[in-house]
Amino acid sequence: MSETIFGKIAAGEIPADIVYQDDEIVAFRDLSPQAPTHVLVIPRKPIRTLNDAAPEDAELLGKLFLAAAKVAAHEGIAEAGYRVVVNCNAAAGQTVFHLHLHVLGGRPLQWPPG
Ligand code: 5GP
């Protein structure tokens, strides 16, 4: 399985501004933030896209969302509101093929998105 830049961040091989981590999950600030808070939440397990998540990943997927909520609370955006986004494959703009949740907030977010 080819390792992506996020796999290297999870392994500590390249630096990132990490805001949360545990034995299964790492959360770090996006290099090119699209909002005042823009944090990526990834599993240490290298799942390429949401399409590649398997039934045995169900608990891990739940933990990713719980970690996203924890990050939002820690960033102080939970009450005002924030968005959690998963881009899946090219038409959605996925560029890094290691499953990740974008946690975006700190400004009003338009809906529907472009
Ligand atoms: P995607 O488009 O795949 O959903 O999101 C990938 C995100 O990863 C983009 O928002 C991009 O700015 C971010 N990104 C790409 N390379 C790096 C990196 O090396 N470090 C960090 N922290 N973020 C990255």
Side-chain angles (χ1 to χ4, degrees):
M1 193 177 313
S2 72
E3 200 180 5
T4 66
I5 194 107
F6 289 178
K8 291 182 176 141
I9 288 172
E13 291 166 11
I14 61 167
D17 186 355
I18 292 172
V19 298
Y20 173 81
Q21 60 181 322
D22 61 30
D23 56 343
E24 293 181 289
I25 290 167
V26 183
F28 52 92
R29 296 192 193 282
D30 197 293
L31 206 55
S32 177
Q34 302 302 310
T37 292
H38 187 171
V39 172
L40 302 170
V41 181
I42 71 167
R44 291 188 187 276
K45 179 180 177 181
I47 300 168
R48 268 180 58 79
T49 77
L50 187 57
N51 292 341
D52 299 297
E56 61 265 28
D57 297 318
E59 188 176 345
L60 178 59
L61 295 177
K63 288 178 179 176
L64 288 171
F65 275 90
L66 291 172
K70 198 179 290 188
V71 166
H74 190 257
E75 294 288 314
I77 58 172
E79 295 310 318
Y82 62 97
R83 186 168 294 160
V84 178
V85 173
V86 178
N87 295 325
C88 183
N89 276 337
Q94 185 175 4
T95 57
V96 179
F97 289 85
H98 181 128
L99 179 67
H100 51 281
L101 276 55
H102 295 258
V103 179
L104 296 148
R107 66 167 171 80
L109 299 165
Q110 287 189 330
W111 190 262

